[in-house]
Amino acid sequence: MDVFSSSNSSFSIVNHRLMGGGVIHLECPKNRRGLGEPDMIILHYTAGMDAMSSAKFLVKPDVKASAHVVIGRDGQVIQMVPFNIEAWHAGRSSYGGRSGLNHYSVGIELDNLGQLRQEGGKFVAECGKEVPVKEVYTEDSGEEPTYWHDYTDRQMRVLNEVCSVLVDAYPIGDIVGHSEVTSRKVEPGPALRVAEWIQYY
């Protein structure tokens, strides 16, 4: 039995599954191809109503997408696919001279509504859910400001813990956003500020 733990994490990895911290495990039998040892982590946002509904959607047999883990806004962790099995999260992708990054990576989905639109002074997600002003991140580096659902402090702490134990267990060399491996995506969006956050690793 392979067991990996990190001194700064409440999580451990046992037989390629996260343990501890109240992790919920769902089965995703559509994913069967072996991954070997993943060497990168790709971060996404769900753009769904909540973490559990997103996870349950991703494990559906007729959905052509999946991920290893979803992290909720309250820090709840849901694992769908073991880390030694390929998940379908990166799609057509390339980074560092390689393509087809599902074959090499762990996909982490963060419960987040993504980019928001302003409607009559309110901020609304693509799915129609309204976001309170205190949860809105404004990106104003371009010609026009854009608005994004912010991540929670608890979510970021848990993401740090999960990444720490993954880095200890596997030969992880890169942690990137989905937008860094394909021009088709904007995830995880400017609210995560990956360039600042990644300095911990």
Side-chain angles (χ1 to χ4, degrees):
M1 179 183 294
D2 294 323
V3 179
F4 295 93
S5 61
S6 175
S7 59
N8 58 351
S9 174
S10 60
F11 300 102
S12 61
I13 295 176
V14 180
N15 293 333
H16 308 287
R17 291 182 181 271
L18 273 175
M19 299 294 172
V23 176
I24 295 171
H25 292 274
L26 300 181
E27 293 301 318
C28 190
K30 66 187 178 185
N31 291 105
R32 299 178 180 212
R33 180 175 174 174
L35 182 58
E37 289 208 317
D39 60 20
M40 67 186 303
I41 296 169
I42 300 178
L43 304 176
H44 310 259
Y45 59 59
T46 59
M49 295 298 283
D50 58 58
M52 184 55 75
S53 66
S54 295
K56 287 181 175 178
F57 175 79
L58 288 169
V59 300
K60 287 183 176 181
D62 59 335
V63 172
K64 301 299 183 189
S66 58
H68 292 92
V69 169
V70 172
I71 300 177
R73 297 183 65 74
D74 61 357
Q76 177 68 67
V77 178
I78 306 161
Q79 184 168 9
M80 293 86 63
V81 180
F83 299 124
N84 65 334
I85 300 294
E86 181 181 304
W88 305 331
H89 60 96
R92 293 189 308 278
S93 53
S94 62
Y95 188 84
R98 296 188 303 189
S99 60
L101 299 179
N102 285 338
H103 305 318
Y104 312 105
S105 60
V106 169
I108 297 178
E109 294 271 357
L110 297 161
D111 179 22
N112 183 282
L113 291 166
Q115 190 165 6
L116 310 172
R117 63 183 185 272
Q118 248 188 322
E119 289 184 356
K122 297 179 180 180
F123 296 94
V124 182
E126 188 66 32
C127 66
K129 188 173 181 180
E130 185 180 338
V131 175
V133 172
K134 65 181 181 180
E135 295 181 19
V136 176
Y137 175 80
T138 302
E139 172 56 49
D140 55 7
S141 62
E143 292 182 12
E144 295 288 334
T146 57
Y147 305 101
W148 304 78
H149 196 195
D150 210 351
Y151 296 90
T152 70
D153 291 342
R154 176 67 183 152
Q155 196 173 27
M156 290 296 95
R157 284 196 298 272
V158 170
L159 176 61
N160 274 311
E161 288 189 34
V162 170
C163 286
S164 291
V165 75
L166 284 167
V167 166
D168 285 351
Y170 302 104
I172 303 295
D174 295 293
I175 303 175
V176 298
H178 200 181
S179 60
E180 295 177 70
V181 302
T182 177
S183 59
R184 299 176 295 110
K185 300 292 183 178
V186 295
E187 310 158 45
L192 182 53
R193 302 177 285 282
V194 174
E196 299 172 22
W197 176 81
I198 205 69
Q199 293 176 28
Y200 292 108
Y201 300 93

